[in-house]
Amino acid sequence: MHTIEHWIAGGPAASVSAASSRTAPVYDPATGREQARVLLAETADVDAAVSAAAKAYETWRDSSLSQRMRVMFAFRELLARHEDELARIISAEHGKIISDARGEIVRGREVVEYACGIADALKGGYSDQYSRGVDVLSFREPLGVCAGITPFNFPAMVPLWMHPIAIATGNTFVLKPSERDPSASNLVARLYAEAGLPDGVFNVVHGDKTAVDAILDHPGISAVSFVGSTPVATYVHERGTAAGKRVQALGGAKNHAVVLPDADLDYASDQLVAAAYGSAGERCMAISVAVAVGDAAEPLVEVLERKARAVRVGPGDDPASEMGPLVTRAAQERVGGAVASAAEQGATVVVDGRDLKVEGHEEGFFTGPSLLDHVTATMDAYRTEIFGPVLAVIRVATLDEAIALINANPYGNGTALFTGDGGAARRFQRGVHVGMVGINVPVPVPMAAYSFGGWKDSLIGDSPVHGPEGVRFYTRPKVVTTRWPAGGNPAARGAAFAFPTAN
């Protein structure tokens, strides 16, 4: 049994006399056994991390763009070289299958690649002779110490949406990852150090609400990025902005996939099964609702049932597994309760994943895929974010009815449409009130050069992550107006008390 420490000022926090005395268990979800303890930060630990980051910022903010990009190129290569090690760490603590863990690392690495070209994203503007003898230029400056509070479901990818952009734009960073799967963040910190990032530019503090509140209240932190549930996103946004910080706060989701009668059902069902049950449904972009339009309903449910029953559930390190366990026993119980509630409220349980036992892993946090039919918008299985391998089918008569259903939902993270009709696709993508839309793509997570963020209760405030919006979030603009008076220029002499104009 080992203890996972913070990473502050370039090394494990023991080297800076960490104040932590409380710990929490880190489980192996496949066996249900405790495999490590993680330190839970006190306010003094957060203070130490912020102090280290503030000291590092004094020089990092003045580092050249070429230096920052060299670090990012080296970091990118190290992420690729250590992909297998990082994926196995994620799988061991989260439970997802190793190939899925590799996928999140690759998607996170794409943001690092975007950060490798940060010089282009930070280009300013210049206007020569805007007024007589007056030039105007603009550029963006870093904010200072920034922080990230990230969820358990993507222990590598979601933090990588944040800190590469923050660091490449000249900020320093304090990461508070989920205490359920904390080890990935410490490996990332070590890789940054190997890439040549100066001590204190990237720091990791592990913890619970005590650490979160210390980050939100700390006067030395300029900006906070958060991904998690909507209630906590709202709390983070309100408390962080009240303390004068910029806040990115991404919340929960209820993502719909609409299937039209003309869709290729074999293709659509493959995509839906993967999007609903991949990573045991523990994705904010998972498809949890299939909206079957008209005659698509019966054949869609039939093929979904067959494919849901065929999903191979097992430990994440088994190459034969397609879906691993849930992250905790509490998550397993919550998913079971959601299926039971759906049955009580009138849904048809077509496939029941409750009480699944995996041979040799009977105490693991496993549940099988569940498929619900005849779900309505008033049922709890539709209204709540289950965050597990449960796919609910709602039947509607028309595409317009499907769009109205999606628009009435309080969440607006991601949605998808399966069709061969370009006109229907265009009507859908223009009509839905959702931030990220896929056409024959079930999980429309934007590539790194674009920004990730939903609408409505899926994004508190108005700051998406990574891409151009991420650069804007971690920097602020500065505009400089210059004049160099020449001896023979009468406009440069004498006091002028009228408001200046561009003449």
Side-chain angles (χ1 to χ4, degrees), residues 121-484:
L122 287 177
K123 281 182 180 177
Y126 183 85
S127 296
D128 174 71
Q129 193 74 352
Y130 203 101
S131 185
R132 184 175 300 174
V134 174
D135 305 326
V136 181
L137 63 99
S138 67
F139 54 94
R140 303 192 72 85
E141 289 189 340
L143 303 177
V145 179
C146 300
I149 302 168
T150 57
F152 75 88
N153 58 330
F154 288 103
M157 184 183 74
V158 169
L160 284 166
W161 286 354
M162 302 172 183
H163 53 73
I165 304 298
I167 291 170
T169 53
N171 301 280
T172 55
F173 205 85
V174 177
L175 174 64
K176 205 298 288 182
S178 171
E179 65 275 23
R180 297 176 189 172
D181 44 12
S183 296
S185 296
N186 281 24
L187 177 55
V188 166
R190 179 167 64 83
L191 297 183
Y192 262 132
E194 291 181 22
L197 191 69
D199 292 350
V201 176
F202 180 72
N203 307 273
V204 181
V205 290
H206 302 290
D208 52 12
K209 188 174 183 296
T210 298
V212 170
D213 287 347
I215 287 170
L216 296 176
D217 295 341
H218 202 293
I221 295 176
S222 299
V224 175
S225 302
F226 172 85
V227 176
S229 69
T230 293
V232 181
T234 302
Y235 173 83
V236 167
H237 190 270
E238 290 176 351
R239 187 157 179 163
T241 54
K245 301 177 186 354
R246 287 188 180 183
V247 179
Q248 287 174 323
L250 280 69
K254 197 70 179 179
N255 303 318
H256 304 69
V258 178
V259 181
L260 294 185
D262 73 322
D264 180 332
L265 286 187
D266 189 52
Y267 172 83
S269 58
D270 278 345
Q271 305 306 306
L272 288 177
V273 167
Y277 305 133
S279 197
E282 293 174 320
R283 296 171 176 164
C284 66
M285 290 292 283
I287 293 297
S288 56
V289 182
V291 185
V293 178
D295 295 339
E298 289 296 338
L300 177 64
V301 172
E302 180 181 341
V303 70
L304 285 175
E305 177 183 5
R306 174 169 53 83
K307 292 181 178 181
R309 293 188 186 280
V311 174
R312 297 189 299 271
V313 182
D317 60 357
D318 184 345
S321 299
E322 295 175 317
M323 188 182 101
L326 291 160
V327 69
T328 62
R329 181 77 67 197
Q332 181 189 42
E333 293 170 353
R334 186 187 66 248
V335 170
V339 175
S341 170
E344 291 168 1
Q345 294 176 7
T348 301
V349 181
V350 179
V351 179
D352 192 340
R354 294 174 292 177
D355 302 323
L356 172 75
K357 295 296 181 182
V358 175
E359 185 177 354
H361 296 78
E362 287 79 7
E363 298 304 314
F365 308 144
F366 290 97
T367 185
S370 290
L371 177 65
L372 311 175
D373 193 11
H374 301 290
V375 174
T376 68
T378 61
M379 294 179 182
D380 291 341
Y382 177 75
R383 295 172 58 248
T384 61
E385 184 182 23
I386 298 172
F387 222 63
V390 180
L391 179 60
V393 178
I394 290 185
R395 301 178 180 223
V396 298
T398 66
L399 175 59
D400 288 337
E401 188 178 342
I403 293 172
L405 174 75
I406 295 168
N407 290 348
N409 192 277
Y411 295 111
N413 211 42
T415 190
L417 175 71
F418 290 91
T419 183
D421 184 341
R426 192 168 190 275
R427 190 158 95 251
F428 179 80
Q429 70 191 36
R430 289 178 57 82
V432 289
H433 301 163
V434 176
M436 293 170 284
V437 180
I439 304 299
N440 298 316
V441 174
V443 184
V445 177
M447 305 305 285
Y450 292 83
S451 299
F452 180 104
W455 290 7
K456 299 185 286 188
D457 287 352
S458 295
L459 179 66
I460 311 303
D462 59 355
S463 295
V465 295
H466 70 64
E469 296 290 343
V471 172
R472 280 192 282 271
F473 179 78
Y474 290 121
T475 60
R476 54 190 163 200
K478 180 175 283 186
V479 180
V480 180
T481 304
T482 64
R483 170 188 282 159
W484 299 100

Side-chain angles (χ1 to χ4, degrees), residues 68-104:
R68 296 180 213 161
M69 290 188 291
R70 280 197 302 271
V71 169
M72 285 298 157
F73 273 109
F75 178 55
R76 186 262 176 212
E77 292 307 307
L78 287 165
L79 276 176
R81 192 182 310 162
H82 290 269
E83 182 180 299
D84 185 68
E85 179 186 1
L86 186 54
R88 291 185 181 280
I89 288 172
I90 293 167
S91 178
E93 293 184 350
H94 175 278
K96 67 177 64 177
I97 62 174
I98 288 176
S99 61
D100 189 34
R102 286 198 183 100
E104 75 159 278

Side-chain angles (χ1 to χ4, degrees), residues 486-500:
N489 182 1
R493 297 191 173 280
F497 294 96
F499 193 83

